[in-house]
Amino acid sequence: MKKPKPQPGLPTSDQIMRFVADSPGAVGKREIAKHFGLHGADKVALKALLKDMTDEGLVDMAPGRAFHKHGGLPRVTVLRVVAIEGSNVWAVPDRWEGNAPPPRLRVMEQGRKGALGVGDRILARTEERGGGHVAHPMKRLQASAELVIGVLVSDTGPGGKPITWLRPADKRARFDFAVADMGDAGIGDLVRAELTGRGPATRAKVVERIGDPFAPRALSMIAIARHEIPHVFGADTLAEAERAAKLPLTPGGREDLRDLPIVAIDPIDARDHDDAVWAIPDEDAGNKGGFRAIVAIADVSYYVRPEGELDREARRRGNSVYFPDRVVPMLPETLSAGVCSLKAGEDRAAMACHLVIDRHGKVTSWRFTRALVRLRANIAYEHAQAMIDGNSALPLAGGVGGGPVSESAPSGMPSPNPSHKWEGDKEVLPALRNLWASWALLAKARDARSPLDLDLPERQVILDEQGGIAEIRVRDRLDAHRLIEDYMIAANVAAAKALEAKKSPVMYRIHEPPSREKLVSLKDYLETFDQSFALGQVITPAVFNRLIDGFSEDDRLPEIMQAILRSQTQAYYGPANAGHFGLALGSYAHFTSPIRRYADLIVHRALVDSYRLEVPGKAKDLPARTGLGEADAKGLSRIGEAISALERRAMEAERETIDRYVAAYLANKTGEIVPARITGVQPFGFFATVDGLGGDGLVPVSTLGSERFFYDEAARTLDSEHGRVSYTVGQRLDLRLMEANPVSGALRFELPDAPEGGFRGSPPRRDGVKKAGKHVVGKRGRPANIKHKGKRR
C-alpha cells in the first residue's frame, strides 16, 4: 500500500519519529523537510524542533548530521546509582518508559573517586561508547522520595488511638510504614505511596488509590500495579481490533483444510485457542510406519498488521499474563478470544505447519501454508486423556469451549452438557488415536535426544464461582500434556529451520549452557550428598538426567532437581542462534502461540515474507502488509531484549500472585502446626515451604534457641555452635505457622516449641525498631564433617 502523502506544514515530533523509525538508515534534515514538503520558515522551525528532539532523547544525531531513533535515552538525563563494583559506578535512568529493561550506564566520575553511593541521583550527560552508554556527571541531585505499592491496614496504638499502616506488597519488605496522609483511600485499599523520612521516622503519603485487592477475583491487582503491567486497552487499539475482526476470511490464497478432523487440546478453562493438531499414517511407501501431521496455529499476523495500533500495544505488552483470577491478554478479546481463537465448528484463519515423521520419530520434511480450518472439537487435556484411556466416567461433550463450572463436576472442570454434540463426533476418537500413535514416534525421538527432564511440580489455584479459593493443588501431568508439547516443539523447530533455509531473520528462543561458575557451585553442593560431579566432562542435558536418575528412589530428589534448575541459564529471545540447551536442539523458535506471545507473531511474519504467503484481505485504515518488513527485520535484537524482559516480568508477577493466594488460603490457619520442607538457608535463618501448597516463609535464626548458629554456604546448612542441631536444604520438619500475609505473599514460621527469646512471645515491632538481646549469627565457617542427613531408599 502506498503511504499517504503528508499534509503540508511543520510536522509534530511523533510524525518525525515515525518517519525516522521507518527509514532503513539515518536521515538528514533535508530528507525530512522533503518528505513533509517544508519550505522557507518551516525549514528553520524544523531545525529548532530537531534540536529539541535530540536534547530530549527522542532522536540521535549520526555522523554527517543525520538523525536516527535514539532508543529513549536522552542526551542529558537524571540517573540513579544502582551498583558500585570495584572502581566502577553503574547507574540507570531515574525514570524509564521503554518496554526493554533500563540501560545500565557506567558513570565516569570526575575528581574525587568514591564520592557517589548507591541510591544517589545525578544529572548527567550520556554518550554512546563501545556498543553501550556511559554517563558524565554534571551535578548531584536531591534524593527523590521512594514510591511503594502496598495495602492500608489499621491497628490500635497507645491509649487506644487508631493507627494506619502501609503494608508493602514486596515480600522482601521487613516492616510496615506508618501513614501520615491517606488521601482519598480507605483501609484495605491497594495504594501507591511516597515514603519520606528515614528509619523509624519514615512515613507514607498516599499518592494514588489503585483499588480493592481483596474483592472477589482481584488479588492479582497487586502484581499488576507493582510490576506496572498494562491491563487496559486504549480506545484506538480497541477500534482497530474491531476493524481487524471484520477482515474477510476467504479461501483465496489459503489451503482449505476444513475437511480434516483437526482438534485442539487445551487447559479446561482456556479461552484463547492458539493451536490444533491432526495426524494420519503416511501412505507413501517410502515412509513405511511413518505419519503425516499438521500443526495448525492461529493466523494472528493476518489480523495484527505491522505498525498499527494493535501491533504497538502487543509489542508493549510482550505476552499475555495468566493469573488465577484473570488473564491480562496481549491482544483485545475481540481477537484473542474471538476471531483469532481456533474454535470448533467455526471457520478460522490458520498458519499450517505440515510435518512428515518417519518411523523413528524424526521429522524429515516440513512446509508452511496459510490455511482455512474448521476444528472438530476443543477438548480439555483431562477429557482427551480419558478418551484414550477408555474412561467413560468423563463426558466428552464438556470438552467443547470450556463450559460453566458446576459443583458436581470435578474441581475446575466444566459440567457435562448431554444435549451438546461435537461436529463429527465419530471422527474425534479416531483422530485422537492417530495423534497418540504419531506422538509415540515423536516421543521415541525425544528420548533419544535426551532433553533436560526436570519434572518440577506446578501449583494450581482453583477458585469457586464467587472468586473464593476452592482448592490449591499440584497440577496433574498427563500424557495429553506431553503429546501437545512434542507436537509444538516439532513445529517450532520446523519454523526455525524453514527460515534458516531461506537465510531469513529468525527470532530464536535461546537457552545457553550453564556457566562454569554455576557448575562449580552445583559441584560443591552435590559433594555434601557424597555425589561427585566432573567439571571436565562435556556438559549436556543427558548429564543432568543421569544425575536425576541416580536419585530417583531418594527422598532428596526434589532438592537435587532444584539445584540443577538453579544451575541453568535463563532462556531469552534474539536473532543470534546459540541453540536450546534444555531441549537439546540446535535451532529453535517460538511459533505456536501468537495470540499470547509477541515472539511467535514475529516468526509468523518472517515466514510470510520468506515464503511469499501474503493473502488477500484489506480493510480501511489497516496496514495492508502482514509480513515482517525491513525495519523489524533489522531490529530483532532490540525487540528480543524487550520481549525477554517482559516475559521475565510476567513470570515474576504470576509467581508472586500464586504466593499471595497461598498466603490468603493459610491466613486462617495461623498458630497451627503444618508439615514443611526447608527450601533455603541463610545466615539470618532458613526458608521453608508448606508441603503440597507451596509458599515460602522464614524461620528467623533468633527463634532457634540460645545457641549461636553458623552458616555453611557450600553445604547450605545452619549449624548450632555445639553441633547438636543442623538445618539443611531439603530437610522435612513440622513448623508452627505464625503469619500469612496475603498482601506480600510472605509466610513466617517458628519451631513448634520455640524457645524463650523467639518472636512468638514478643513479635517484632512493625516499624522495624530493634530491641536489645537479639541472637547473633556466628561468622561463616563449615564445621568439620558436616554432611546432608538422610538415607537413600
Side-chain angles (χ1 to χ4, degrees):
M1 182 177 70
K2 189 176 180 181
K3 290 186 178 181
K5 189 175 181 180
Q7 295 296 315
L10 187 68
T12 65
S13 298
D14 287 342
Q15 289 173 317
I16 293 175
M17 285 179 61
R18 188 165 298 181
F19 173 65
V20 170
D22 289 346
S23 301
V27 293
K29 181 167 70 72
R30 180 180 298 177
E31 293 170 278
I32 298 173
K34 181 179 179 181
H35 176 78
F36 290 101
L38 304 184
H39 303 281
D42 283 341
K43 283 188 175 182
V44 177
L46 174 65
K47 182 178 180 181
L49 177 58
L50 289 172
K51 183 180 184 304
D52 290 343
M53 291 176 66
T54 302
D55 291 341
E56 293 172 21
L58 300 178
V59 294
D60 203 355
M61 187 179 292
R65 303 188 67 78
F67 297 89
H68 62 88
K69 190 174 180 182
H70 181 53
L73 188 62
R75 282 287 186 88
V76 176
T77 190
V78 177
L79 302 175
R80 176 168 41 86
V81 176
V82 293
I84 298 177
E85 300 168 358
S87 60
N88 294 328
V89 178
W90 297 93
V92 298
D94 197 42
R95 291 183 178 274
W96 183 249
E97 303 295 335
N99 286 337
R104 272 169 58 105
L105 297 89
R106 184 181 173 190
V107 179
M108 313 301 288
E109 287 188 279
Q110 304 294 324
R112 184 169 64 89
K113 301 290 184 181
L116 294 174
V118 173
D120 284 349
R121 296 169 71 241
I122 57 173
L123 182 68
R125 178 173 55 83
T126 66
E127 175 191 354
E128 288 190 57
R129 184 183 294 181
H133 291 85
V134 297
H136 302 278
M138 299 168 67
K139 66 177 178 179
R140 186 182 297 191
L141 303 175
Q142 187 177 4
S144 63
E146 181 183 358
L147 291 177
V148 173
I149 299 288
V151 172
L152 298 179
V153 297
S154 62
D155 199 358
T156 303
K161 183 180 179 181
I163 302 178
T164 301
W165 299 88
L166 176 70
R167 178 161 293 170
D170 189 343
K171 187 185 289 189
R172 296 167 298 181
R174 298 174 58 189
F175 41 81
D176 299 343
F177 299 101
V179 176
D181 184 356
M182 291 175 59
D184 62 351
I187 299 300
D189 281 345
L190 180 68
V191 300
R192 197 183 310 272
E194 192 177 76
L195 299 184
T196 58
R198 298 186 121 193
T202 302
R203 294 293 181 267
K205 176 185 177 182
V206 174
V207 295
E208 179 189 0
R209 178 189 180 275
I210 299 170
D212 179 4
F214 302 114
R217 299 182 179 274
L219 203 51
S220 60
M221 187 188 297
I222 298 175
I224 291 171
R226 183 167 178 263
H227 293 279
E228 298 182 347
I229 295 173
H231 64 289
V232 176
F233 289 102
D236 291 344
T237 304
L238 293 173
E240 185 174 309
E242 292 295 333
R243 293 196 300 272
K246 295 174 183 176
L247 281 166
L249 186 57
T250 64
R254 294 186 180 274
E255 183 180 18
D256 195 339
L257 301 177
R258 288 176 289 182
D259 289 339
L260 296 182
I262 302 175
V263 299
I265 305 175
D266 286 300
I268 203 143
D269 54 354
R271 297 185 65 198
D272 49 352
H273 302 282
D274 285 285
D275 56 85
V277 286
W278 170 86
I280 194 171
D282 196 349
E283 296 178 354
D284 186 347
N287 189 30
K288 189 176 181 180
F291 276 78
R292 289 185 297 119
I294 294 175
V295 178
I297 305 299
D299 188 2
V300 176
S301 63
Y302 178 64
Y303 297 99
V304 181
R305 308 291 176 90
E307 302 171 16
E309 289 296 332
L310 278 169
D311 182 54
R312 280 189 281 274
E313 183 64 19
R315 186 180 296 189
R316 187 168 79 97
R317 296 181 177 221
N319 46 256
S320 297
V321 189
Y322 293 84
F323 298 113
D325 51 34
R326 75 180 73 192
V327 175
V328 179
M330 184 179 79
L331 301 172
E333 288 198 4
T334 306
L335 302 181
S336 62
V339 295
C340 290
S341 188
L342 303 181
K343 295 182 179 180
E346 299 183 25
D347 288 358
R348 286 292 187 262
M351 187 78 77
C353 173
H354 294 256
L355 303 170
V356 177
I357 303 165
D358 71 14
R359 61 191 179 89
H360 303 293
K362 181 181 178 182
V363 177
T364 58
S365 67
W366 51 82
R367 66 184 178 91
F368 289 85
T369 65
R370 271 181 151 158
L372 197 60
V373 299
R374 182 185 294 151
L375 270 59
R376 294 301 184 270
N378 294 104
I379 316 174
Y381 285 113
E382 296 85 349
H383 295 168
Q385 190 69 54
M387 293 180 73
I388 289 297
D389 294 343
N391 181 357
S392 59
L394 286 174
L396 304 186
V400 180
V405 175
S406 75
E407 293 181 0
S408 59
S411 298
M413 285 194 178
S415 57
N417 181 3
S419 65
H420 181 87
K421 294 293 182 182
W422 276 328
E423 178 181 339
D425 263 356
K426 294 180 181 178
E427 295 180 287
V428 173
L429 185 55
L432 288 179
R433 286 174 176 158
N434 279 336
L435 284 169
W436 250 260
S438 176
W439 170 60
L441 303 181
L442 290 175
K444 185 193 301 184
R446 180 200 62 216
D447 292 342
R449 201 174 72 242
S450 192
L452 187 58
D453 188 17
L454 284 177
D455 190 11
L456 296 168
E458 181 184 355
R459 291 175 295 167
Q460 182 180 20
V461 176
I462 307 296
L463 303 181
D464 59 27
E465 291 181 353
Q466 289 73 42
I469 305 171
E471 183 184 4
I472 298 177
R473 66 186 182 195
V474 174
R475 193 183 296 272
D476 292 333
R477 180 81 169 144
L478 305 172
D479 279 350
H481 293 97
R482 297 181 177 91
L483 174 141
I484 293 299
E485 282 180 8
D486 282 338
Y487 279 111
M488 298 305 111
I489 288 171
N492 287 337
V493 172
K497 291 188 174 180
L499 290 171
E500 289 173 345
K502 292 286 187 177
K503 294 182 169 43
S504 299
V506 186
M507 181 66 84
Y508 290 102
R509 178 63 168 178
I510 302 163
H511 182 221
E512 297 181 2
S515 67
R516 180 171 178 81
E517 181 183 9
K518 291 285 187 73
L519 292 174
V520 169
S521 178
L522 177 64
K523 177 180 182 294
D524 291 343
Y525 179 63
L526 292 173
E527 284 178 355
T528 68
F529 289 84
D530 294 321
Q531 174 68 50
S532 62
F533 185 81
L535 293 176
Q537 64 184 315
V538 176
I539 302 298
T540 65
V543 170
F544 296 114
N545 291 341
R546 288 192 294 272
L547 186 59
I548 292 168
D549 290 342
F551 283 83
S552 60
E553 299 299 322
D554 194 305
D555 59 1
R556 298 169 296 175
L557 177 61
E559 285 66 58
I560 294 296
M561 289 198 292
Q562 285 290 343
I564 292 173
L565 179 64
R566 285 192 296 269
S567 73
Q568 303 302 304
T569 60
Q570 192 157 29
Y572 62 95
Y573 296 103
N577 189 21
H580 197 294
F581 176 82
L583 292 176
L585 293 168
S587 297
Y588 192 65
H590 274 165
F591 159 79
T592 55
S593 297
I595 291 178
R596 62 184 180 89
R597 288 189 307 228
Y598 193 78
D600 304 54
L601 180 56
I602 289 286
V603 170
H604 278 232
R605 289 172 176 168
L607 288 166
V608 168
D609 279 348
S610 302
Y611 288 87
R612 300 180 180 178
L613 299 178
E614 289 285 4
V615 294
K618 296 183 180 180
K620 186 180 179 182
D621 300 326
L622 282 180
R625 180 170 51 86
T626 65
L628 185 59
E630 186 178 359
D632 279 350
K634 290 182 176 180
L636 286 189
S637 181
R638 172 178 47 82
I639 296 171
E641 288 179 9
I643 59 180
S644 296
L646 294 171
E647 178 191 41
R648 291 191 291 272
R649 178 182 72 177
M651 291 170 61
E652 188 174 348
E654 290 167 353
R655 184 172 56 248
E656 284 181 7
T657 302
I658 295 287
D659 284 346
R660 290 187 177 101
Y661 269 102
V662 169
Y665 186 72
L666 291 171
N668 62 353
K669 299 181 185 295
T670 53
E672 296 183 13
I673 305 296
V674 296
R677 177 173 55 85
I678 297 178
T679 57
V681 177
Q682 293 293 330
F684 50 80
F686 62 80
F687 291 92
T689 185
V690 180
D691 277 347
L693 288 178
D696 214 27
L698 176 66
V699 179
V701 70
S702 56
T703 68
L704 299 181
S706 56
E707 277 190 274
R708 291 180 57 166
F709 279 77
F710 293 84
Y711 172 55
D712 185 338
E713 186 174 10
R716 298 179 191 176
T717 61
L718 200 57
D719 306 302
S720 65
E721 187 173 15
H722 300 294
R724 286 191 288 263
V725 183
S726 180
Y727 298 102
T728 181
V729 171
Q731 182 178 335
R732 296 182 184 276
L733 70 174
D734 288 337
L735 295 173
R736 187 183 302 279
L737 178 65
M738 299 304 297
E739 182 183 353
N741 183 351
V743 175
S744 66
L747 307 176
R748 185 168 61 84
F749 302 105
E750 287 185 3
L751 299 177
D753 54 348
E756 182 180 355
F759 288 164
R760 185 157 59 102
S762 178
R765 286 183 53 154
R766 65 195 310 156
D767 58 5
V769 177
K770 296 182 178 180
K771 294 184 178 181
K774 299 273 185 174
H775 294 293
V776 179
V777 177
K779 64 180 180 180
R780 294 184 183 183
R782 181 178 173 185
N785 302 320
I786 293 293
K787 299 287 183 183
H788 281 261
K789 297 172 176 61
K791 297 180 179 179
R792 298 191 184 188
R793 293 185 294 174

